[in-house]
């Protein structure tokens, strides 16, 4: 199937099964069960969406859920596609094209990330102010999809200023200490070396992770407003004298889930 045809077919199937929404949320590790908070929820498994890739990471259910939360119609992606799993950039970002095709104008991306900024500690939430792409990949390489956006899209406001201000305001109301910083996309799947972390700190990164940037680029290209929030699940390699392991990452994600969910819920409530 041609890529545009895959997008169209998937969009049609999703619309028929669960409808569309005002805002979409990509659930990162730790927020996986946030979809349970949707009222009147309808869902569709990725495996039932024609043209959709299949999720492989354990703990990711692999489904789209649509329902109401905080007075908004919300579509959540439970399980995302990572390039380190071997998915092409087209596959990683196909769900975003489908959301755009369904008329969704706002996207909230969440993730687990390693803390590079030494003022952070594990368990912090970080509002993403900007990104650095060190993966060597870009999802817009290839023929431009003119139906969605221009060949050379501007990235100077990749994480929407208005939504960032709103998130800070909501964090303040909830007394959540929301950090801010630059997210650097590394390809993974191994965690970075201490030398790489020293390098990205010099380059201006505050956190590192293996997702989010391709989805952000495609959402911006598609004319969507993006809000990004990272859960700093661990300090990045070499910051502390201890190894990084996936279990710790998941455990910290679970620990801050309450604040994370409360923040996103308030943001959705106050979004126009
Ligand atoms: N590095 C990259 N990705 C991550 C990390 C990390 O330290 N923690 C959670 N995701």
């Amino acid at each position: 199937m041609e890529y545009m045809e895959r997008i169209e077919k998937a969009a049609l199937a999703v619309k028929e099964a669960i409808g569309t929404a005002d805002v979409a949320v990509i659930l990162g590790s730790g927020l996986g069960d946030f979809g349970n908070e949707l009222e009147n929820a309808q869902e569709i498994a990725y495996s039932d969406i024609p043209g959709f890739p299949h999720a492989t990471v354990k703990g990711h259910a692999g489904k789209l859920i649509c329902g109401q939360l905080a007075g908004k119609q919300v579509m959540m992606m439970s399980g995302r596609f990572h390039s380190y799993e071997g998915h092409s950039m087209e596959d990683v970002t196909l769900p975003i094209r489908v959301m755009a095709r369904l008329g969704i104008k706002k996207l909230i991306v969440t993730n687990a990330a390693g803390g590079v900024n030494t003022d952070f500690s594990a368990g912090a939430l970080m509002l993403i102010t900007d990104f650095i792409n060190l993966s060597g990949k870009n999802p817009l390489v290839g023929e431009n999809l003119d139906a969605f956006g221009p060949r050379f899209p501007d990235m100077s406001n990749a994480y929407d200023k208005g939504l960032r201000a709103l998130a800070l305001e909501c964090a303040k109301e909830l007394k959540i200490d929301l950090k801010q910083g630059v997210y650097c996309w590394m390809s993974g799947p191994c965690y970075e070396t201490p030398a790489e972390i020293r390098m990205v700190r010099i380059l201006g990164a505050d956190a590192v992770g293996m997702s989010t940037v391709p989805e952000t680029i495609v959402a911006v290209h598609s004319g969507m407003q993006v809000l990004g929030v990272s859960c700093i699940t661990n300090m990045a390699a070499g910051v502390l004298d201890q190894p990084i392991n996936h279990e710790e990452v998941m455990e910290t994600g679970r620990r801050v889930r309450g604040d994370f969910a409360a923040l996103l819920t308030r943001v959705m409530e106050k979004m126009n």
Side-chain angles (χ1 to χ4, degrees), residues 112-114 191-192 208-210 233-237 244 249:
Y191 290 113
E192 300 72 27
V208 281
M210 306 175 194
T233 51
N234 57 281
M235 289 310 287
I244 299 162
V249 167

Side-chain angles (χ1 to χ4, degrees), residues 123-182:
L125 293 176
M126 185 191 89
L127 177 67
I128 307 178
T129 55
D130 203 348
F131 69 72
I132 295 174
N133 178 2
L134 286 188
S135 73
K137 296 183 181 186
N138 191 301
L140 302 181
V141 168
E143 195 184 336
N144 185 53
L145 301 184
D146 297 328
F148 288 91
R151 171 77 295 185
F152 301 108
D154 176 40
M155 287 291 144
S156 47
N157 189 30
Y159 297 98
D160 185 73
K161 260 194 191 133
L163 289 179
R164 277 191 273 145
L166 176 64
L168 289 169
E169 189 185 306
C170 292
K172 203 170 167 191
E173 284 172 18
L174 295 167
K175 301 194 168 46
I176 292 171
D177 179 21
L178 183 61
K179 310 287 188 195
Q180 298 190 66
V182 174

Side-chain angles (χ1 to χ4, degrees), residues 18-24 39-40 66-69 71-75:
I18 63 170
T20 183
D22 307 312
V23 50
E39 284 171 33
N40 302 315
C66 221
Q68 284 103 39
L69 185 71
K72 298 288 186 307
Q73 183 69 19
V74 182
M75 183 178 290

Side-chain angles (χ1 to χ4, degrees), residues 111 113 128 130-132 181-185 207-213 230:
N111 58 49
I128 307 178
D130 203 348
F131 69 72
I132 295 174
V182 174
Y183 176 94
C184 180
W185 176 29
V208 281
M210 306 175 194
S211 66
T212 299
V213 171
S230 293

Side-chain angles (χ1 to χ4, degrees), residues 195-207:
E196 286 167 341
I197 295 304
R198 289 193 298 275
M199 172 186 77
V200 300
R201 186 178 298 121
I202 291 165
L203 294 180
D206 297 286

Side-chain angles (χ1 to χ4, degrees), residues 216-240:
T216 300
I217 292 173
V218 165
V220 172
H221 180 256
S222 305
M224 298 167 91
Q225 292 179 333
V226 184
L227 177 70
V229 184
S230 293
C231 172
I232 305 298
T233 51
N234 57 281
M235 289 310 287
V239 176
L240 304 174

